[in-house]
Amino acid sequence: MSSIYVRKIEVKFSKEDGFILDGQSKICNWFYNKLLEACINDYQYNGNAKKLLYGRNLRDYGTSLKENYPFLHTVFSSVLKEPSNRIKHAYEKFFRGEAG
């Protein structure tokens, strides 16, 4: 017999830390939308080539955005890698017919 314990933990942030986390969340949302826009443009204007979706191309493209948008340096790199993985995975499921 196994037992499962559930514990709620409340984390309290200072007002300044809350602003920092909110700002980083907004940067991540912007970054996700920028990558998604690049994928849509790649698919529409490159003859359905899907070049950004091969290998690590999308992730490398995301890294190259740091040169043009220095505010991306304020977010940890591992956090910025995740949107490219999510977008790539969503496109793969779409093209396999598993998602709409």
Side-chain angles (χ1 to χ4, degrees):
M1 181 175 150
S2 65
S3 299
I4 297 175
Y5 295 97
V6 178
R7 179 183 295 179
K8 282 187 173 183
I9 300 174
E10 182 179 359
V11 179
K12 294 186 178 188
F13 295 103
S14 69
K15 199 169 194 173
E16 182 180 318
D17 290 338
F19 289 138
I20 291 170
L21 289 173
D22 185 50
Q24 291 205 344
S25 174
K26 288 178 181 178
I27 290 172
C28 290
N29 288 339
W30 176 89
F31 186 68
Y32 179 89
N33 290 331
K34 194 74 167 169
L35 291 178
L36 184 60
E37 178 185 343
C39 285
I40 290 169
N41 288 337
D42 180 50
Y43 183 71
Q44 287 179 342
Y45 301 117
N46 288 335
N48 300 342
K50 299 182 282 189
K51 292 179 184 179
L52 277 177
L53 298 176
Y54 290 121
R56 293 176 51 172
N57 291 348
L58 185 60
R59 189 168 143 187
D60 292 343
Y61 173 75
T63 304
S64 72
L65 288 176
K66 284 185 171 184
E67 296 170 8
N68 298 330
Y69 303 101
F71 62 88
L72 291 174
H73 289 285
T74 62
V75 181
F76 286 113
S77 61
S78 58
V79 176
L80 293 178
K81 291 175 190 173
E82 188 57 30
S84 61
N85 291 335
R86 289 187 2 230
I87 290 172
K88 185 176 175 183
H89 199 20
Y91 265 96
E92 288 171 352
K93 287 178 75 173
F94 173 76
F95 288 117
R96 284 193 308 251
E98 296 175 7

